[in-house]
Amino acid sequence: MLMEEVLRRENLMIAHARVVKNGGAPGVDGMNIEELWDHCQKHWARIREELLGGTYGPQPIRRVEIPKPDGGGTRTLGIPTVLDRMIQQALLQVLQPIFDPTFSDGSFGFRPGRSAHDAIERAREHIAAGYGWVVDLDLEKFFDRVNHDVLMARVARVVKDKRVLLLIRRYLQAGMMEGGVVSPRAEGTPQGGPLSPLLSNVLPDELDKELEQRGHRFVRYADDCNVYVRSEEAGKRVMASLERFLAKRLRLKINRDKSAVARPAERKFLGYTVSRHRKPTLKVAPKSEQRLKRKLQPLFRRGRGRPLVDTIRELSRILRGWVAYFRLAEVTNCFERLDKWVRRKLRCILWRQWKKPRTRVQKLRELGVNLRPEGVGAYSRGPWWNAGASHMNVAVPSAALRDMGLVSLLDEHRRLARST
């Protein structure tokens, strides 16, 4: 039976190791990762008996609000206890190989062996094949509004062990605690637990199958779905038809404000967009560039009170990860702009650290700039203007920042492009 496979010792050991590796904050019981092993040794016989008997009840999940990457509001995370994370991980390891082969070839999110880069490349293939219009679907609050009955009906088509089905439903319905108060949940699959990504693919897989049956070219990554068509009129028909299908069959709504029928160059997908040229050329979407700047602003503010080399060390880790994700971009002017902006922000930090006009003049002279105070704007201009002025570029050249460990996005992108 499936539950016995979930509770097999080897499967549980792998699940425990994965949860420990992933780390994360404690749940509502306050138990941290380091305490999980001892807790299991003391209580596992009882927990196992409850799981096999179908009487195990998950603890409530801890509600956490995090800012959305685009700065537009917050996203709700549900943090299960470390014990429930281990049990969910054990479930995932057994269920993933069963469900994944049944999923559509056009689905890429949260699937082993598939990535956002694969989804982006597939989207470019569709555009290059002459499908020059995109139906960009945004499912309204998808993770918050998944209907449990509809979702469990789809899960039950594949999973026949009633104990596993009951446990999954209990995880879906586990109350959410905030401020010491537990609120029941009747819908949604809050992000945060190991099982949530798999469950988030089960329901929209029916949308994928419908698109395949209609012969559409599409790419879906979690709740981001793009359908590629040859004309605007076809796109409008597809949009209206899918809106009816989602509402009737899956009880999901399209967010009209974020969905559109447009040219691919006018939309972004997973942080990328394409050029307006005849051949689709990948580039970083403007919103992704702005998102990085918003992410770095707190780091630059903290940098005013510590050595510049420490700021650069932390900054470079972020920049390397960012450019690694956007290594598929073929238009590089974004990397050049950001390099200039980052260098100017670092020079701005130095200017602020020097504080007094007399100190600024002295530091500039020490760095080889010999100008009168009024010539360097020491008294009349602000830090941002001075950071972009010639005297600061001479005093703190790009090579000096590179020697401190600053990563150049453009150089790193070129290096990654050569290695692929």
Side-chain angles (χ1 to χ4, degrees):
M1 297 290 286
L2 205 57
M3 182 61 84
E4 281 74 12
E5 180 65 20
V6 170
L7 298 178
R8 191 167 50 87
R9 177 177 173 80
E10 293 80 3
N11 188 54
L12 290 168
M13 293 297 288
I14 295 171
H16 177 270
R18 181 63 58 86
V19 168
V20 171
K21 181 180 178 181
N22 290 342
V28 296
D29 61 355
M31 186 193 305
N32 58 41
I33 295 295
E34 291 74 20
E35 298 170 300
L36 177 59
W37 181 262
D38 288 342
H39 179 83
C40 287
Q41 289 208 318
K42 292 177 183 176
H43 303 286
W44 186 251
R46 172 184 57 80
I47 296 167
R48 177 184 173 84
E49 184 179 342
E50 291 176 357
L51 288 165
L52 288 172
T55 61
Y56 178 81
Q59 293 193 61
I61 58 179
R62 183 164 64 88
R63 183 188 183 101
V64 177
E65 298 286 341
I66 62 170
K68 288 186 177 179
D70 58 4
T74 60
R75 174 179 289 124
T76 300
L77 291 185
I79 309 299
T81 65
V82 291
L83 173 62
D84 283 323
R85 295 210 293 269
M86 187 185 81
I87 297 171
Q88 284 194 36
Q89 181 64 37
L91 277 168
L92 175 67
Q93 291 164 186
V94 172
L95 295 177
Q96 186 97 55
I98 297 173
F99 275 98
D100 196 73
T102 71
F103 290 152
S104 166
D105 184 53
S107 167
F108 291 86
F110 310 129
R111 297 184 61 187
R114 291 179 165 232
S115 68
H117 286 170
D118 296 327
I120 293 158
E121 291 284 16
R122 180 69 63 83
R124 176 165 59 175
E125 290 173 11
H126 293 327
I127 300 168
Y131 294 80
W133 288 84
V134 61
V135 181
D136 186 355
L137 295 175
D138 184 275
L139 301 180
E140 188 173 275
K141 296 185 177 180
F142 171 72
F143 292 99
D144 298 331
R145 293 186 175 173
V146 168
N147 183 281
H148 291 171
D149 291 335
V150 176
L151 173 58
M152 288 307 303
R154 270 62 178 181
V155 174
R157 293 175 183 174
V158 179
V159 176
K160 302 305 178 185
D161 191 324
K162 293 183 179 179
R163 297 166 300 177
V164 173
L165 291 172
L166 181 61
L167 183 59
I168 293 173
R169 182 177 280 277
R170 284 176 176 165
Y171 274 124
L172 287 172
Q173 295 178 337
M176 185 171 287
M177 179 178 286
E178 184 178 24
V181 178
V182 178
S183 303
R185 291 190 300 121
E187 60 182 5
T189 59
Q191 301 170 74
L195 200 55
S196 294
L198 174 63
L199 295 178
S200 71
N201 267 330
V202 172
L203 198 57
D205 184 62
E206 191 156 339
L207 168 63
D208 300 342
K209 296 297 195 297
E210 179 70 15
L211 291 170
E212 286 179 341
Q213 187 175 346
R214 297 182 187 185
H216 287 308
R217 296 193 176 215
F218 73 98
V219 181
R220 185 179 63 79
Y221 193 96
D223 56 340
D224 288 332
C225 183
N226 281 2
V227 184
Y228 296 90
V229 294
R230 292 189 182 274
S231 70
E232 184 177 13
E233 292 73 20
K236 289 178 179 178
R237 289 195 300 271
V238 169
M239 174 72 83
S241 175
L242 292 180
E243 188 169 21
R244 292 192 297 270
F245 172 84
L246 288 165
K248 183 178 179 180
R249 294 283 293 276
L250 305 183
R251 301 188 194 176
L252 294 173
K253 289 178 64 177
I254 290 177
N255 187 329
R256 275 290 184 175
D257 293 334
K258 295 183 179 180
S259 302
V261 176
R263 291 288 191 181
E266 298 169 6
R267 308 295 293 178
K268 72 177 180 70
F269 181 56
L270 300 178
Y272 283 81
T273 188
V274 296
S275 67
R276 296 178 181 272
H277 301 112
R278 184 178 298 275
K279 178 184 176 183
T281 305
L282 291 174
K283 62 180 185 178
V284 179
K287 286 186 178 180
S288 299
E289 185 177 343
Q290 295 303 314
R291 183 183 298 174
L292 177 64
K293 288 184 175 182
R294 282 195 300 271
K295 181 178 182 179
L296 294 179
Q297 288 290 9
L299 172 60
F300 290 130
R301 281 195 293 271
R302 292 196 305 272
R304 300 172 191 176
R306 62 176 179 168
L308 192 65
V309 67
D310 292 345
T311 298
I312 288 175
R313 187 182 301 113
E314 185 178 351
L315 173 65
S316 291
R317 285 197 296 268
I318 297 172
L319 295 180
R320 283 195 181 92
W322 192 85
V323 76
Y325 179 77
F326 286 105
R327 66 180 181 270
L328 298 182
E330 298 154 293
V331 180
T332 60
N333 54 7
C334 166
F335 302 111
E336 294 181 68
R337 282 195 306 271
L338 285 169
D339 274 339
K340 291 178 181 177
W341 180 80
V342 165
R343 290 193 294 265
R344 188 168 179 178
K345 294 292 284 188
L346 292 172
R347 292 180 182 121
C348 189
I349 289 174
L350 277 179
W351 189 259
R352 289 180 183 277
Q353 288 179 344
W354 293 343
K355 294 183 179 178
K356 296 181 179 180
R358 183 181 301 174
T359 305
R360 290 165 176 168
V361 173
Q362 179 185 341
K363 290 289 187 181
L364 287 171
R365 286 174 176 167
E366 290 174 0
L367 293 168
V369 180
N370 190 15
L371 293 175
R372 292 164 53 189
E374 59 271 20
V376 296
Y379 298 111
S380 59
R381 301 276 189 156
W384 183 247
W385 182 90
N386 278 283
S390 59
H391 49 269
M392 283 300 284
N393 281 269
V394 171
V396 191
S398 300
L401 295 173
R402 185 173 60 249
D403 291 343
M404 293 184 205
L406 179 64
V407 168
S408 163
L409 289 167
L410 184 60
D411 291 346
E412 186 71 4
H413 178 266
R414 288 171 175 166
R415 185 188 69 79
L416 291 171
R418 287 196 299 269
S419 64
T420 55

